[in-house]
Amino acid sequence: MSLRNEFSAAGTSSRMAIAAAMIAAALPAAAWAQDAAPAEDNASADTIVVTGYRASLLNAINQNRNAEQIVESVSAEDIGKLPDASIAESIARLPGLTSQRVNGRSNSIAIRGSAPDFSTTLLNGREQTSTGDNRAVEYDQYPSEVVSAVNVYKTPMASLVGQGLSGTVDMRTIRPLDSGKRVISVGARGTYADLGKLNAGSKDKGYRLNATYVDQFADDTIGIALGASYLNEPYQVQEFNSWGYADTPEGDKVIGGSKSYVTSTTLKRLGLNGTLQWKPTPNLTMTLDGFYSNFKDNQVKRGIELPLYYDPDTASLANATVTDGMVTSGTFNGVKSVVRNDLFQRHAKLYSFGWNTKWEGDDGWKAFFDVSYSKTDRSELTIETLAGTGRNTIGALDSIGFTMTDKGAVFSPSLNYGDYNLILLTGPQGWGGDQTAVDGTKILNGQDGYYNNRHIKDELWQYRVEVEHEFESGLLHSFQVGWNYTNRSKTLVPEEYFLGLKANTDGLTSVTIPEEYRLKGETQLSYLGLGPVVSYDPAALVRDGIYNLVANPYGDVIVKSYAIRERLMTGYIQGNLDADIGSAHLTGNFGVQAQWTDQNSVGAGAILLQPPVNPNGSPNIGARVRKVSTDYLDVLPSLNLSLRFPSDTVIRFAAAREIIRPRLDDMRASEKFDYTITGNVAQVTGESGNPYLRPWRANALDLTFEQYFGGKGVIAAQFFWKDLKSYIYNQQSTVPTDSLALQDPGAGVVLSPTAQYTIPVNGKGGKLYGVEIATTLPFETIIPALEGFGVTGSVAYTKSKIQATPDSPSGDLPGYSKWVANGTAYFEKWGFNARGSVRYRSTFLGEVSGFAANRVRRRAAAETIVDAQIGYDFQAGSALEGLSLYVQGQNLTNAPFITTNPGDSREIIDYQTYGRRFLAGFTYKF
């Protein structure tokens, strides 16, 4: 981290004041007007002052102790000392929090056993647009270097606007006038992924650069803070993926097919942050914030798709070995394999601006006005290209042995899939058959790939005003009245094409991969026993016209578009308490929010026109536009009480009505259908959004006991209970397929007579409750000789009793883990620092992304992640004072990400290995 909470022996008084001011700056908007703690004026030159990671823990402890809500905090020093790709991995170590890894990195946070959909994320107290399809912020957009602190509020209060149901994450950037001094900091690091260069042309090394500048001018009435971060880092993934598991005539389970890849990702991100403050009078402060992120996530995926038991027309099972109802080994003869060279490019630009004007009068009156704007422009391009031994029924078949392991299947093929003379550009399975676009362009005897580009725009304006009055005495310390208006819109427009080889004019032609598109190096699937695969650049083949782009004319494209607009008017009142009760001190707040929501959704349904086929042979499909609006009111009372005893014991109680609005993509006014081919039958499934959805709503109670000791340590027990009064679940119904505008599945394949149709609806919920035990223990509080050693960590147990449908048994919320634990052991003294961190989560219902970025929920296995770091900070008096060096290892145990079919953990769907990552770097602070 470029901005660090460091103190030296000299100048202790001023630096302690700076630290207190930074803590105050990290509080939410409602607390902006609170006074910082007074500085100690009698610090001597030989005072021992805690620095580095220990200082960050101390800051977090003090902030949690002084907060009026149940809150978890992480400071800039903590983020900077463990320089993650995003702040997600740093806050995932907080009590009751965890993360889900995607392509080897954490980019979303689950709070108290709930999926990211149940929480919200703010930047400097303001709502933000997202780079995903939903509201949940993806944290890899935010460099840790531009964030000074993160607060996770587990209980709401009336003046916290944009709050979530499971919690609210508030990221704070530095306020230069609170810093009190000039800071210039630069840093760099190198990264190595130990899985190596899995794909031809990929990289296993990367780097990251950052710089920060903070200064004050004009007698400390003008302050400026500038931050920049750039990263170019690789991620590598080895993946086994199963289509699923079929039933044999004997009633045993056997792998139905596999689609396994090696994935190489290059993550590039430029993050810029700036803050300008002006304090023309002691009572008036104006602050202008700006944040910009240019994010590029470029992936290439190469592998082999093996239609096995699900392809009975050609593949047959022989020499099967059965163990406890599972076919654990055997041979599939007559396999027509599909070699895949795919790419996925997600590019996003995020803009966030805010203007705040705050007045603090001398007569107890305070007020502020805040306006902010957030925008995300995102595109997601996916290109699939297929290769094999020949088109459809033409070409060599393979005889493939297989053995099931605890990592999926290991294969032994008889063909060489790295042979450019054998593996050709083609449609090996003839998937899709003949296709004709509305403009007359055609594909004959199977598509050779697919092109899908999704364009998403997300825009949010927020306006807020608040007035507060402080009283000189009495139980009621102050009273706040506020108003907030949020206007958000999100649109998605897809662009989809079948890919067909331009040379395939007779329905029989395959094409040798041109030499100029073949990549140097090798792509290996030896971990699956499949050996090398041919490697080429699919984007270049599309760009240079090797393929025709045949616009997908079917209804499944029409219905993917949607536009959502939300207008929220929020009014609130809040009273803040501060009084002595006997020897104890009571603080807290009570209040109510009234939130008026006006939600509007525009989508489309596909209809089959007459005649159903155009003269050129293309389907005659139209769109039926659907516009739906609805509005509703939520009244959200809240209470937070903290009773503080002279023994440094704090007991907290909170009660609140909590909500989280539905997923944006669940509110779309569109419906879509697709099918899965089993044998010669296409099983049709469909889904729709529901523009009338109401929020998830819950009544919540929290009770926390905190014991602070030695001024540096704490042990806390947090108990929570949520009664979900409203739950969103998927309801299924059956509709006939002859009324639907569906794509022809191809020769020899017939549509099922009915389709299973799914729509999200509001229903009754259930219970969610649990306990979290957390501690920070510096060993010096027990044995002074162990100064510098310590541990911090937590264990959380959560119980979920949720009914997915009214008649179903209780199940799990998405993202729910029964057990979540984390711990860090550290040593920090004389400039040396060392840390080892471990985090664990039990099995959970994870969300993974399929083709076309559709979300799929699967049961994920428990996982344990281990990280470690050593470093050295050059001390005062050294010629290199201000320089810090570190070496870090991430995922040291190479923990995999595993999903399975419910009921039998041997039925592995995904087994992803991310490898270990090693980092070495420095920061230099002037």
Side-chain angles (χ1 to χ4, degrees):
M1 186 69 193
S2 51
L3 242 177
R4 304 173 54 200
N5 298 325
E6 279 197 4
F7 310 97
S8 63
T12 301
S13 175
S14 62
R15 286 178 169 84
M16 289 299 291
I18 293 166
M22 289 181 67
I23 292 172
L27 294 176
W32 282 345
Q34 294 183 0
D35 294 330
E40 296 290 341
D41 294 327
N42 58 351
S44 62
D46 58 354
T47 300
I48 299 176
V49 181
V50 178
T51 63
Y53 180 63
R54 295 160 63 197
S56 74
L57 293 177
L58 181 59
N59 290 342
I61 288 173
N62 288 332
Q63 183 164 330
N64 294 355
R65 173 167 43 192
N66 296 329
E68 303 304 341
Q69 297 165 270
I70 298 174
V71 61
E72 307 293 348
S73 303
V74 59
S75 76
E77 177 62 24
D78 189 19
I79 296 172
K81 280 290 189 177
L82 282 173
D84 305 311
S86 76
I87 62 173
E89 294 182 7
S90 295
I91 59 180
R93 289 185 284 271
L94 294 174
L97 278 69
T98 189
S99 66
Q100 179 179 334
R101 294 180 296 166
V102 177
N103 295 314
R105 64 185 190 270
S106 298
N107 72 343
S108 62
I109 292 297
I111 303 174
R112 287 184 162 176
S114 301
D117 294 343
F118 294 85
S119 62
T120 57
T121 300
L122 313 176
L123 180 64
N124 292 319
R126 303 169 179 130
E127 295 181 69
Q128 298 297 296
T129 54
S130 65
T131 55
D133 285 350
N134 191 31
R135 309 175 192 278
V137 165
E138 296 182 339
Y139 289 97
D140 49 16
Q141 292 288 318
Y142 297 93
S144 59
E145 293 87 356
V146 303
V147 177
S148 66
V150 181
N151 300 315
V152 180
Y153 298 98
K154 294 180 176 178
T155 59
M157 62 182 176
S159 59
L160 181 61
V161 174
Q163 57 194 259
L165 188 145
S166 63
T168 306
V169 180
D170 189 13
M171 300 179 292
R172 313 296 298 189
T173 58
I174 187 67
R175 292 293 179 258
L177 289 182
D178 295 332
S179 175
K181 63 178 179 179
R182 176 185 296 171
V183 176
I184 302 174
S185 176
V186 296
R189 81 179 189 196
T191 307
Y192 171 68
D194 79 338
L195 282 183
K197 304 174 183 178
L198 296 184
N199 272 285
S202 66
K203 299 179 180 179
D204 58 2
K205 299 180 182 66
Y207 64 94
R208 182 171 184 166
L209 307 171
N210 63 83
T212 300
Y213 171 70
V214 181
D215 210 345
Q216 303 80 33
F217 308 93
D219 296 325
D220 291 340
T221 61
I222 297 176
I224 186 170
L226 301 173
S229 173
Y230 179 77
L231 68 82
N232 185 333
E233 292 185 332
Y235 290 81
Q236 304 284 350
V237 183
Q238 290 178 334
E239 178 183 4
F240 165 82
N241 174 266
S242 169
W243 284 6
Y245 293 83
D247 293 312
T248 68
E250 294 77 22
D252 302 315
K253 289 290 187 180
V254 63
I255 185 171
S258 79
K259 183 171 64 176
S260 300
Y261 295 100
V262 290
T263 302
S264 299
T265 300
T266 300
L267 184 65
K268 297 181 180 180
R269 182 191 62 209
L270 172 64
L272 302 175
N273 182 71
T275 300
L276 176 64
Q277 284 190 292
W278 182 36
K279 195 169 186 176
T281 71
N283 302 102
L284 180 65
T285 304
M286 288 179 278
T287 305
L288 176 65
D289 288 299
F291 174 75
Y292 169 76
S293 174
N294 188 340
F295 179 87
K296 295 182 179 180
D297 182 356
N298 295 325
Q299 296 180 14
V300 60
K301 302 169 73 73
R302 295 190 176 94
I304 304 175
E305 198 161 2
L306 301 174
L308 302 172
Y309 202 83
Y310 284 150
D311 186 19
D313 293 338
T314 58
S316 61
L317 175 63
N319 306 320
T321 299
V322 179
T323 304
D324 295 331
M326 169 76 75
V327 178
T328 55
S329 66
T331 301
F332 282 101
N333 297 310
V335 177
K336 192 66 180 298
S337 305
V338 181
V339 176
R340 302 284 294 268
N341 277 245
D342 304 343
L343 65 80
F344 173 75
Q345 296 178 343
R346 184 173 68 149
H347 295 174
K349 293 183 179 180
L350 188 152
Y351 310 84
S352 182
F353 302 97
W355 171 269
N356 179 270
T357 300
K358 180 175 64 173
W359 169 265
E360 295 183 336
D362 298 325
D363 55 357
W365 286 97
K366 301 178 182 181
F368 74 79
F369 173 73
D370 193 270
V371 59
S372 63
Y373 174 73
S374 179
K375 178 183 178 182
T376 299
D377 291 329
R378 173 173 122 244
S379 65
E380 292 182 351
L381 172 63
T382 305
I383 299 177
E384 291 184 334
T385 62
L386 313 180
T389 59
R391 183 169 301 278
N392 203 349
T393 59
I394 303 171
L397 303 178
D398 201 357
S399 178
I400 299 180
F402 72 97
T403 301
M404 302 302 299
T405 73
D406 59 358
K407 299 180 180 180
V410 176
F411 302 98
S412 54
S414 57
L415 297 181
N416 179 7
Y417 293 100
D419 185 351
Y420 287 92
N421 295 316
L422 174 67
I423 305 302
L424 313 172
L425 298 175
T426 190
Q429 287 279 333
W431 288 331
D434 296 342
Q435 300 291 345
T436 303
V438 175
D439 64 2
T441 56
K442 294 179 180 294
I443 286 177
L444 300 178
N445 199 17
Q447 66 194 65
D448 304 306
Y450 202 77
Y451 179 102
N452 180 5
N453 201 2
R454 306 167 78 239
H455 305 279
I456 300 97
K457 291 185 179 296
D458 195 355
E459 190 173 35
L460 186 151
W461 282 95
Q462 186 174 10
Y463 308 88
R464 185 175 177 185
V465 63
E466 179 184 289
V467 176
E468 179 179 5
H469 180 61
E470 291 185 352
F471 301 97
E472 293 184 357
S473 61
L475 175 63
L476 186 63
H477 173 69
S478 68
F479 193 75
Q480 299 167 250
V481 178
W483 170 88
N484 183 85
Y485 175 72
T486 301
N487 188 340
R488 183 174 190 173
S489 63
K490 192 158 192 169
T491 62
L492 184 149
V493 179
E495 179 187 1
E496 300 188 25
Y497 301 88
F498 297 109
L499 297 182
L501 286 166
K502 186 173 291 186
N504 180 32
T505 58
D506 56 3
L508 304 173
T509 301
S510 302
V511 173
T512 300
I513 300 167
E515 290 192 13
E516 61 268 31
Y517 299 101
R518 301 177 188 178
L519 299 179
K520 295 180 180 180
E522 192 174 70
T523 301
Q524 269 284 351
L525 274 69
S526 55
Y527 68 101
L528 296 172
L530 293 172
V533 296
V534 296
S535 303
Y536 55 88
D537 184 350
L541 293 176
V542 173
R543 179 195 64 217
D544 294 345
I546 304 299
Y547 295 104
N548 287 324
L549 273 69
V550 179
N552 187 334
Y554 295 99
D556 62 332
V557 178
I558 295 172
V559 302
K560 290 176 184 176
S561 297
Y562 65 79
I564 306 291
R565 179 179 291 278
E566 289 181 325
R567 298 181 178 94
L568 285 90
M569 190 85 71
T570 303
Y572 62 88
I573 56 176
Q574 177 175 305
N576 301 299
L577 306 174
D578 192 338
D580 291 326
I581 300 180
S583 62
H585 190 71
L586 176 68
T587 62
N589 56 72
F590 63 94
V592 63
Q593 270 191 15
Q595 188 178 101
W596 292 269
T597 301
D598 175 23
Q599 63 189 38
N600 302 267
S601 180
V602 179
I607 55 175
L608 195 60
L609 304 176
Q610 297 299 323
V613 179
N614 294 315
N616 63 5
S618 63
N620 189 12
I621 294 176
R624 179 180 58 249
V625 177
R626 183 185 181 204
K627 298 181 179 180
V628 180
S629 298
T630 188
D631 58 82
Y632 51 87
L633 169 67
D634 279 288
V635 178
L636 308 174
S638 62
L639 171 70
N640 291 275
L641 299 176
S642 297
L643 193 60
R644 308 168 189 275
F645 295 89
S647 60
D648 226 355
T649 301
V650 180
I651 300 176
R652 304 182 193 273
F653 173 76
R657 176 78 161 185
E658 301 172 341
I659 66 168
I660 190 71
R661 295 191 299 281
R663 288 182 63 106
L664 289 166
D665 49 358
D666 276 348
M667 293 162 51
R668 68 191 189 281
S670 304
E671 57 186 13
K672 66 178 181 179
F673 292 89
D674 204 349
Y675 55 73
T676 301
I677 298 175
T678 303
N680 65 340
V681 178
Q683 303 292 334
V684 181
T685 57
E687 63 177 48
S688 169
N690 183 353
Y692 297 102
L693 276 180
R694 297 298 194 261
W696 304 72
R697 297 183 174 108
N699 294 332
L701 296 175
D702 288 79
L703 180 63
T704 297
F705 301 89
E706 303 168 4
Q707 180 61 57
Y708 298 87
F709 50 89
K712 301 176 182 178
V714 63
I715 183 169
Q718 301 177 2
F719 300 87
F720 67 92
W721 177 84
K722 295 182 188 294
D723 182 11
L724 289 170
K725 295 298 184 182
S726 175
Y727 184 90
I728 297 174
Y729 70 96
N730 290 326
Q731 187 178 74
Q732 287 193 342
S733 59
T734 301
V735 297
T737 56
D738 57 10
S739 64
L740 305 176
L742 297 173
Q743 174 184 343
D744 185 349
V749 179
V750 297
L751 290 171
S752 60
T754 60
Q756 293 298 313
Y757 183 70
T758 303
I759 182 172
V761 297
N762 288 106
K764 294 183 178 179
K767 303 294 190 296
L768 184 72
Y769 54 91
V771 59
E772 299 159 359
I773 307 296
T775 186
T776 294
L777 177 61
F779 291 167
E780 65 203 70
T781 60
I782 303 173
I783 303 175
L786 294 179
E787 181 188 359
F789 290 93
V791 294
T792 182
S794 66
V795 177
Y797 172 81
T798 306
K799 185 67 176 177
S800 172
K801 293 183 178 180
I802 307 296
Q803 287 183 277
T805 61
D807 299 325
S808 68
S810 296
D812 293 347
L813 282 169
Y816 162 76
S817 288
K818 181 179 291 187
W819 290 97
V820 170
N822 65 80
T824 297
Y826 63 87
F827 170 75
E828 192 168 66
K829 195 174 183 181
W830 306 305
F832 291 99
N833 58 79
R835 261 180 283 173
S837 298
V838 58
R839 69 178 190 267
Y840 166 83
R841 69 179 305 183
S842 59
T843 179
F844 63 99
L845 192 62
E847 186 170 288
V848 297
S849 180
F851 180 64
N854 59 304
R855 55 191 174 102
V856 180
R857 287 173 177 167
R858 294 181 180 145
R859 173 59 58 183
E863 60 183 23
T864 302
I865 314 299
V866 178
D867 303 324
Q869 175 179 302
I870 58 173
Y872 181 74
D873 302 332
F874 287 89
Q875 300 297 284
S878 167
L880 297 177
E881 179 183 356
L883 177 65
S884 298
L885 306 175
Y886 61 85
V887 177
Q888 184 184 16
Q890 297 176 341
N891 192 27
L892 292 177
T893 58
N894 193 17
F897 175 76
I898 307 170
T899 67
T900 60
N901 269 343
D904 193 337
S905 60
R906 296 178 300 171
E907 296 180 23
I908 295 174
I909 301 297
D910 293 289
Y911 192 100
Q912 298 180 9
T913 302
Y914 305 127
R916 302 168 185 84
R917 295 175 63 78
F918 298 97
L919 308 93
F922 75 91
T923 59
Y924 190 77
K925 182 179 177 182
F926 300 88

